[in-house]
Amino acid sequence: MDLNEALAKDRWIGRLASHLDDFEALLDGQGYAKTTVQQKIKLLAGFSAWVERQDVPLSLLGEEDADRFLTELGLRPRRGDAWTIRQLLRYLRDTGGVPVLLPEVDTSAKGKLIDAFGEFLRKERGLSASTLTNYLPIVRGFLDEQFGGNDPDFDRLRVGDVHRFIVRRAQAGSPGRAKLVVTALRSFLRFLQQRGLLATDLAVAVPGIAGWRLAHLPKALPAEQVERLLASCDRRTPAGRRDYAVLMLLARLGLRGGEVSALTLDDLDWDCGEIVVHGKGQRLARLPLPADVGAALVDYLRQDRPACSTRRVFIRIKAPRRSFVSPSTICCIVHRALKRTGLTPAFKGAHLLRHSLATNLLRRGASLVEIGQLLRHSQPNTTQIYAKVDIAALRAIALPWPGVSS
């Protein structure tokens, strides 16, 4: 059968035919419009026929076959066609329709060492998966530069090798990225010495990156601009009610973007009027839930949050109905609200509202200790930066300019 004919016919043929009815039901449950589901299934009927014609075993079916199919189709693919086929492949792997593709394992001495370092960070240091995602590529890059394709020989490693690697990375990125490189490399070198792979403590020779704490003012919005930001949400729409609830959590409780994204239905304790926050370092904290924040959450949960398998509070408005892919979605919500209100601060991420809350509380008389408790800072000196915006207190201790009478 011709591929174009397979796309046009409302019938299932080929090796994937038995799975398409269930996959169609899954798409319906994810909130796709009826016409969108029909378009997706029609495309997948053609893909099923193509798999049959090409005699592709299901055990070998992968994303590269989707690309080949769309190329050989001879038509201009619609936006999202490749994603539709990848959706089907993910569904088939989840349900056992096709084998799960195992990640390629690096069995070299270098790969095993990186895996051991990752296990050390996770189990002994208690670091999060996101931290490992940041650290391990840096370590792999260091080993690649020093030893190429050979097994690591740390007896050859010298202080100058470490310095040159850091300088190259520091010149290629931001100061924050350079600090991450230094931290990851210092941790790796200590790991090597602890395991007896490195005789000299090279970690002490890792230089610091110039970056002075408290060297800048926290970027914040005045209280009236925060209220304008909240008022910009059209609460007559589902997206507006969801975004308003997100912004209220940021603006009233000072939550981080990742903390809002990770919030689950189980974290809302309505009986006690509290919210459980999954903070940095895998720490949990219970915060009181203000009435206006709770009301915003109730409006969204009752009217707009769809029934779905995830327990996350905030769900995509458009299909597929699932939780946010990453905390960057929270930053996008803040950015859109700033654009609606015509505000153009230098920093436009979710942390802007956290800084704004702390700054406005300080100006209204809250102490740094109280602000640190609300923001859940583990170290008191983290809160010190907000002392720089307390102009009244600074004026009282400022020394007169030499030669000028006060």
Side-chain angles (χ1 to χ4, degrees), residues 320-352:
R321 300 283 175 78
R322 63 184 183 204
S323 59
F324 296 155
V325 174
S326 73
S328 63
T329 305
I330 305 296
C331 293
C332 291
I333 291 173
V334 175
H335 190 276
R336 289 196 297 266
L338 289 167
K339 188 175 181 179
R340 288 194 301 268
T341 54
L343 299 175
T344 57
F347 179 73
K348 299 179 174 64
H351 234 65
L352 174 67

Side-chain angles (χ1 to χ4, degrees), residues 183-355:
T183 303
L185 198 55
R186 188 179 289 130
S187 179
F188 179 62
L189 293 172
R190 287 172 177 160
F191 164 78
L192 292 177
Q193 189 184 30
Q194 177 186 331
R195 296 298 172 94
L197 299 173
L198 190 62
T200 305
D201 185 8
L202 294 182
V204 299
V206 174
I209 300 297
W212 292 270
R213 290 189 67 252
L214 312 181
H216 64 278
L217 289 171
K219 299 172 177 64
L221 297 175
E224 61 274 12
Q225 291 185 359
V226 173
E227 296 306 314
R228 283 175 53 195
L229 200 71
L230 294 170
S232 71
C233 298
D234 185 357
R235 294 160 66 187
R236 297 169 298 180
T237 66
R241 286 187 288 269
R242 183 202 64 186
D243 291 356
Y244 179 72
V246 167
L247 294 175
M248 287 291 285
L249 288 166
L250 297 172
R252 297 289 190 257
L253 291 176
L255 299 192
R256 302 176 179 92
E259 293 167 348
V260 175
S261 178
L263 200 63
T264 70
L265 297 173
D266 305 299
D267 295 328
L268 302 174
D269 190 339
W270 299 107
D271 293 334
C272 296
E274 293 179 336
I275 182 172
V276 177
V277 180
H278 299 257
K280 295 175 69 173
Q282 304 180 25
R283 291 187 294 268
L284 297 181
R286 297 183 72 91
L287 296 179
L289 186 62
D292 53 353
V293 179
L297 285 168
V298 167
D299 285 346
Y300 162 67
L301 293 173
R302 283 182 172 174
Q303 299 185 58
D304 308 303
R305 187 188 183 280
C308 52
S309 59
T310 179
R311 298 289 293 173
R312 294 284 178 88
V313 171
F314 295 108
I315 306 298
R316 286 168 45 97
I317 296 297
K318 296 182 179 179
R321 300 283 175 78
R322 63 184 183 204
S323 59
F324 296 155
V325 174
S326 73
S328 63
T329 305
I330 305 296
C331 293
C332 291
I333 291 173
V334 175
H335 190 276
R336 289 196 297 266
L338 289 167
K339 188 175 181 179
R340 288 194 301 268
T341 54
L343 299 175
T344 57
F347 179 73
K348 299 179 174 64
H351 234 65
L352 174 67
L353 292 177
R354 183 175 170 87
H355 286 321

Side-chain angles (χ1 to χ4, degrees), residues 370-382:
E370 291 168 333
I371 292 171
Q373 289 173 344
L374 175 62
L375 299 185
R376 291 160 288 112
H377 288 157
S378 58
Q379 299 294 330
N381 57 7
T382 307

Side-chain angles (χ1 to χ4, degrees), residues 86-120:
R86 282 165 172 73
Q87 278 183 293
L88 175 65
L89 292 175
R90 184 178 295 114
Y91 165 77
L92 292 174
R93 289 170 186 146
D94 290 343
T95 58
V98 299
V100 175
L101 296 178
L102 297 176
E104 188 175 344
V105 178
D106 185 353
T107 58
S108 67
K110 186 189 306 179
K112 291 178 180 178
L113 181 62
I114 293 172
D115 289 343
F117 180 54
E119 285 295 296
F120 165 77

